[in-house]
Amino acid sequence: MPDASRRNESSRQAILAAAFELVGEVGYAKLSIEGIAARAGVGKQTIYRWWPSKGAVLLDAFLMLSEGDGGGLPDTGDLEADLKTVLRATVKELTDERFDLTMRALSSEIMHDPELARMYAERLDEPVRELKKQRLRKAVEAGQLSDVDLDVAVDVIWGPVTVRWMQRGPLTVEFADQVVETALSGLRP
Amino acid sequence: MPDASRRNESSRQAILAAAFELVGEVGYAKLSIEGIAARAGVGKQTIYRWWPSKGAVLLDAFLMLSEGDGGGLPDTGDLEADLKTVLRATVKELTDERFDLTMRALSSEIMHDPELARMYAERLDEPVRELKKQRLRKAVEAGQLSDVDLDVAVDVIWGPVTVRWMQRGPLTVEFADQVVETALSGLRP
């Protein structure tokens, strides 16, 4: 890597780390490009060169945190066990204060900012949804899942956790397990 | 009703109607107490006397719109048909631009404002959840639903529609029907 790229990469990492720390300290409303620049030790023009808004910086900070997660869903052959593993991990993430604060700030901003919503969908939501559908498709092929619309299946399995998190209801691993069991077996006796 | 109460009630209605119109015209970010007061023809102190924030005004405007809905969920004895009726109505509401804009603004604000989140939960979310659980409890008694945690059941049935709306995915009556069928019968073959 040439020196300039290395410098850019180290500035990028400093900016994302600063954005992440600051949103935890001051909240999203008081987060500013100026504040991030000061904390990261860069000029604010450096930030504006790479990101159009503080929401976009935060989205990248969040993606940096989630890197490592990109390898697909677990596949032990036991769909119920695998879904419980995944949903429990999601519950743990969403109850981790760093994730919680960043996700709340992003989710809120996305409601107002269609450009950020588009970036979020393209870079986070759609790739993750594709991984979920891949795992479910294998379960359909293995005869463990009926041949339903996979987007409906994804929303029925993952939607309840998202909604409970948004409404600040009790978010526990027991809830994750109950959702998986209910989604697979249905509510009928 | 004495004159003063009548005047108060007519001011209240004018303020809520103005908040509703304005959020549609200028968006939540540019909505202001001053703007609402000017549109409603009242002083801004009148608004501050009754509401702590523009989010609180909007919550009441939304509750005014939803009045008339308070009578419980349909109960024809056919749970699947009744849930489809309710979820289709929710889809229609969420795809109505007036509801959509107000709900997005409120949902976003609730992420930041714990006081508004508390008001929202107490005045809208919890009473509506209670009505849903009442209907499900009757289905359990009628042997149409297994004896699950009703809060889990509510989240599995209603969560997918909320999440799809938030993520701006395709929100159709067909989706509502598929969610009800999947939640009741489960994803297993």
Side-chain angles (χ1 to χ4, degrees), chain A residues 156-172:
Chain A
V156 169
I157 297 167
W158 277 273
V161 169
T162 307
V163 161
R164 190 164 280 203
W165 167 74
M166 285 192 52
Q167 298 176 342
R168 298 175 194 266
L171 202 56
T172 60

Side-chain angles (χ1 to χ4, degrees), chain A residues 57-78:
Chain A
V57 180
L58 212 55
L59 173 61
D60 269 353
F62 189 75
L63 287 167
M64 182 176 67
L65 257 196
S66 321
E67 263 160 32
D69 293 0
L73 266 57
D75 185 1
T76 65
D78 179 342

